[in-house]
Amino acid sequence: MLLLPTSRLIPRTLIRSFATSTPRSDFHFDTHHFVQRLEREGLNRAQAEGIMTAMAERHYTQQVDFAQIKSELQLMEKNDLAMIKAENDRLVADIEKLKQRLREEITRTQAGVRLDLNLEKGRMREESSHQELKIKEVDTRIEQEIANLRTAIQASKVSSTLCLPYIT
């Protein structure tokens, strides 16, 4: 039995061409003619038939070996194809998992950015409210100062009008 240790020893191109080739059944070897030729060359009938029998056995053994090699190569090719398909399926599954993780990470990042934006908006609203309160306080103080100045001016006018008849 002829076993090949690995498919790496035989190039893929040879395996594929061998697996797709058709067996040649159009060649016929005339054993009787060959035995007669050996007898003409000086061998007796028993020797010629012995050589012919040995060659026929060798030819049969080679055919069996080739058929065995062919089936082993086909089996290895099927196994390789199954392994490649399994690896491809595993890689597709891994890619899908990575896509899902990426989607989840994008969703988490977007949620974080939205939260940060909302917190910043809230902080800005609070700061804006605080600034508006300060502006209102300053406005109120300015209006009080203006009112105080008006009162002081009115008081000055009144006191000057009261003092004016005594001055003239």
Side-chain angles (χ1 to χ4, degrees):
M1 177 178 223
L2 177 63
L3 291 176
L4 297 176
T6 65
S7 62
R8 304 227 187 271
L9 297 177
I10 299 172
R12 283 270 176 224
T13 55
L14 289 179
I15 291 174
R16 294 208 184 276
S17 65
F18 182 75
T20 59
S21 66
T22 57
R24 287 192 55 191
S25 61
D26 59 348
F27 178 74
H28 300 285
F29 185 70
D30 188 355
T31 55
H32 180 68
H33 180 69
F34 185 67
V35 169
Q36 286 177 344
R37 182 170 176 203
L38 289 175
E39 286 175 344
R40 280 194 305 265
E41 295 294 328
L43 297 174
N44 65 31
R45 181 109 179 135
Q47 291 174 330
E49 286 177 355
I51 290 173
M52 186 59 235
T53 302
M55 285 181 61
E57 287 174 1
R58 176 69 179 146
H59 178 70
Y60 175 76
T61 304
Q62 284 178 342
Q63 283 181 330
V64 169
D65 288 346
F66 284 139
Q68 200 171 11
I69 289 172
K70 180 180 177 182
S71 67
E72 287 177 12
L73 289 175
Q74 288 172 339
L75 180 63
M76 286 190 312
E77 186 174 7
K78 285 179 185 176
N79 288 341
D80 286 349
L81 186 60
M83 287 185 342
I84 289 171
K85 186 178 181 326
E87 180 68 13
N88 187 44
D89 291 345
R90 186 188 63 78
L91 289 173
V92 167
D94 287 350
I95 288 171
E96 285 303 316
K97 287 178 187 174
L98 288 173
K99 281 181 182 179
Q100 184 60 33
R101 282 179 43 201
L102 183 61
R103 282 188 210 108
E104 291 170 359
E105 187 63 32
I106 288 171
T107 302
R108 265 195 304 274
T109 302
Q110 287 175 337
V113 168
R114 282 189 200 112
L115 179 64
D116 290 347
L117 285 174
N118 288 335
L119 289 174
E120 187 62 24
K121 281 181 188 177
R123 189 188 64 74
M124 290 180 75
R125 278 191 211 118
E126 187 178 304
E127 189 175 315
S128 176
S129 305
H130 184 66
Q131 292 296 328
E132 284 179 26
L133 281 176
K134 280 187 176 184
I135 290 172
K136 284 182 182 180
E137 287 175 6
V138 169
D139 247 0
T140 305
R141 273 189 279 158
I142 289 173
E143 286 179 14
Q144 285 176 350
E145 287 294 321
I146 290 173
N148 289 341
L149 285 174
R150 280 189 183 148
T151 305
I153 290 173
Q154 284 297 330
S156 288
K157 278 185 185 176
V158 169
S159 81
S160 34
T161 53
L162 289 178
C163 293
L164 197 56
Y166 297 109
I167 298 182
T168 51

